[in-house]
Amino acid sequence: MAKVLIIGAGGVGGVVVHKCAQVPEVFSEITLASRTLSRCEKIRDEVRELQGREIQIRQIDADDVAATVALLKELKPDLLINVALPYQDLPLMDACLEAGVDYLDTANYEPPDEARFEYKWQWAYQERYESAGLMALLGSGFDPGVTNVFCAYAQKHLFDEIHTIDILDCNAGDHGHPFATNFNPEINIREITQRGRYWEQGEWKETDPLSEVMEFDFPEVGPRKAYLLYHEELESLVQNIRGLKRIRFWMTFGEAYLTHLRVLENVGMTSIEPVDYDGHPVVPIKLLKKLLPDPASLGANYKGKTSIGCLIEGIKDGEKKRVFIYNVCDHAETYREVRAQAVSYTTGVPAVVGAMMMLTGAWRGKGVFNIEQLDPDPFLEKLGEMGLPWHVKVC
Ligand code: NDP
């Protein structure tokens, strides 16, 4: 029986609250806090209707460390689940340290004025968490998150040596809008428009944005074009998977999405540099976020599936081996269950499973952990039960 404080009432936050509410034997008290109280109210009412549970809600500015410390000291949760934005990671880690509360998130810290996805800022908390006897679990979403756990599982059970990993992320869903992003538009567009990067033979190699393409036959979806991107889990996986020779990350995009993105980039709408508009500084990508559909609103009419997994090659018992470990998730089904599309669902469910691991003692430790550093077995045992069945295909 544990008390949990969830921060962030967006698409992912909603899923986390619903799924925690489904497991009262672990999450006995749930509080949702976010910047805009009305979004918490909406989730509270849906959880009451669909899950038959009452949750508490609060308003909080998670950039304000003192306010978060006060809230933590008042509520005394066993764990803070951060599903606000990556900008809030460090203030929330500071607040947890000061109040003596364990921490979990799904995305690594990103400075607001620089599009850089790096773990160094959060890894710098290692000693402070360790000496405070606290645990911080980083990247417990799908990618990063489940994909890292798939790699840890492959290392533990399927291979003697892992040589290459390709993480392949396909959303073959259709939300009916000409252009929308499936999670926070600002973070999503910053991630896609940066230069591509992968790791090979001990070195990082850079590519022009979206310049490397391959076709892959995704389970339950079919062949799709996937583009090489830099994604944050590569940074921790190169450290935690032994003997790795190459690791890359690929994501599928349709032609219409790429055309919109190209136009928006060409006219300067994806820039994070402020421009002056009649004496007011305006950050173009923040204005764009205001204009685009709210990711949390996409669920109602979303059709189709996500198909995401890790293609892993290496050696087992002296023989070459190649497997694809994956999950397929259906947008319409997740909407029926928790009023959310599959991208929010595939992020929110692993956050809840990670929280269950920490709160039940299956995962314990002092310090800052990337998810693949912990035993994959209890996590994967719960993942299917909680709504994300996974499969291993030898190919
Ligand atoms: P949304 O934009 O839908 O939601 C973010 C929520 O955080 C909003 O409710 C927002 O409040 C709140 N928030 C923002 N700033 C603050 C603040 N200063 N204080 C309090 N609350 C704040 O994003 P998503 O739900 O789509 O994504 C949530 C997180 O999940 C992101 O970090 C994203 O990067 C991560 N993610 C991870 C994935 C993975 O697989 N690992 C995949 C997809 C997402 P308001 O309503 O006022 O704007």
Side-chain angles (χ1 to χ4, degrees):
M1 303 285 267
K3 272 192 201 175
V4 69
L5 171 63
I6 298 155
I7 298 203
V12 178
V15 175
V16 171
V17 180
H18 278 272
K19 296 305 285 192
C20 285
Q22 290 175 0
V23 194
E25 61 280 18
V26 177
F27 304 98
S28 51
E29 282 182 49
I30 302 166
T31 304
L32 171 64
S34 196
R35 185 167 56 188
T36 310
L37 192 65
S38 58
R39 297 192 69 170
C40 301
E41 288 167 349
K42 184 168 179 281
I43 294 172
R44 177 196 59 196
D45 295 348
E46 280 173 4
V47 168
R48 184 183 290 144
E49 181 198 330
L50 293 176
Q51 317 299 342
R53 277 203 60 196
E54 285 303 323
I55 64 154
Q56 305 306 313
I57 56 169
R58 301 295 286 266
Q59 196 279 331
I60 188 80
D61 176 0
D63 294 323
D64 182 342
V65 176
T68 311
V69 170
L71 184 64
L72 288 169
K73 286 191 172 162
E74 181 199 327
L75 299 173
K76 300 190 175 53
D78 299 289
L79 174 68
L80 183 152
I81 301 180
N82 168 17
V83 276
L85 297 180
Y87 316 129
Q88 277 79 55
D89 288 5
L90 301 190
L92 288 175
M93 287 182 83
D94 285 331
C96 281
L97 262 180
E98 199 173 328
V101 175
D102 287 340
Y103 169 92
L104 176 154
D105 68 29
T106 66
N108 69 11
Y109 174 69
E110 200 193 334
D113 52 357
E114 216 182 324
R116 276 171 68 182
F117 297 83
E118 274 186 57
Y119 276 115
K120 71 169 183 214
W121 293 282
Q122 291 184 275
W123 285 342
Y125 283 72
Q126 173 63 25
E127 275 176 20
R128 277 173 286 162
Y129 267 72
E130 210 177 336
S131 54
L134 294 173
M135 179 171 181
L137 177 62
L138 308 183
S140 190
F142 203 97
D143 42 346
V146 174
T147 49
N148 303 50
V149 179
F150 286 162
C151 294
Y153 176 84
Q155 177 163 265
K156 183 172 176 186
H157 297 290
L158 306 181
F159 289 90
D160 298 323
E161 284 171 40
I162 291 181
H163 293 163
T164 66
I165 299 175
D166 284 293
I167 301 170
L168 288 136
D169 179 327
C170 171
N171 177 11
D174 177 10
H175 44 56
H177 294 269
F179 183 77
T181 62
N182 297 294
F183 66 95
N184 185 278
E186 212 183 309
I187 304 299
N188 192 197
I189 291 173
R190 282 166 74 135
E191 187 174 270
I192 294 166
T193 53
Q194 67 177 334
R195 284 178 68 72
R197 198 145 51 104
Y198 64 100
W199 187 90
E200 192 171 37
Q201 305 292 4
E203 274 178 30
W204 288 104
K205 302 200 169 158
E206 282 208 1
T207 59
D208 288 336
L210 308 180
S211 58
E212 300 271 320
V213 193
M214 76 153 152
E215 189 164 278
F216 185 74
D217 192 1
F218 287 89
E220 297 187 42
V221 164
R224 286 284 193 284
K225 271 187 190 168
Y227 296 80
L228 187 144
L229 295 184
Y230 178 68
H231 222 242
E232 63 200 56
E233 61 264 51
L234 304 185
E235 190 185 4
S236 64
L237 285 168
V238 296
Q239 300 203 1
N240 295 319
I241 302 297
R242 295 180 302 272
L244 197 56
K245 294 183 171 46
R246 188 187 69 206
I247 182 164
R248 304 179 293 191
F249 181 94
W250 306 82
M251 193 177 271
T252 63
F253 302 105
E255 280 309 317
Y257 183 96
L258 291 175
T259 305
H260 276 83
L261 192 66
R262 231 172 269 132
V263 173
L264 290 167
E265 257 195 301
N266 287 343
V267 299
M269 279 304 291
T270 59
S271 170
I272 61 175
E273 294 300 326
V275 294
D276 180 78
Y277 181 79
D278 281 354
H280 302 285
V282 175
V283 177
I285 198 167
K286 286 193 186 285
L287 175 63
L288 178 62
K289 175 181 185 266
K290 278 270 178 240
L291 299 172
L292 290 175
D294 174 359
S297 74
L298 297 175
N301 299 309
Y302 224 131
K303 293 179 185 63
K305 293 175 180 177
T306 60
S307 182
I308 314 173
C310 299
L311 182 65
I312 304 177
E313 290 187 27
I315 305 285
K316 179 70 177 172
D317 300 329
E319 302 274 315
K320 280 192 176 170
K321 184 172 181 181
R322 188 173 193 248
V323 299
F324 189 56
I325 314 178
Y326 67 96
N327 162 263
V328 175
C329 190
D330 185 295
H331 289 285
E333 278 175 22
T334 62
Y335 187 74
R336 270 195 296 279
E337 187 195 331
V338 296
R339 297 278 192 275
Q341 35 92 351
V343 176
S344 302
Y345 190 89
T346 53
T347 309
V349 169
V352 175
V353 176
M356 288 167 80
M357 295 297 104
M358 291 171 75
L359 293 170
T360 58
W363 286 354
R364 277 316 308 163
K366 291 176 191 161
V368 175
F369 295 84
N370 286 93
I371 195 163
E372 70 273 17
Q373 293 176 289
L374 298 148
D375 183 1
D377 295 347
F379 182 96
L380 289 174
E381 225 169 78
K382 277 278 170 238
L383 190 67
E385 237 175 73
M386 290 294 290
L388 296 176
W390 55 283
H391 316 275
V392 180
K393 185 169 141 190
V394 178
C395 41

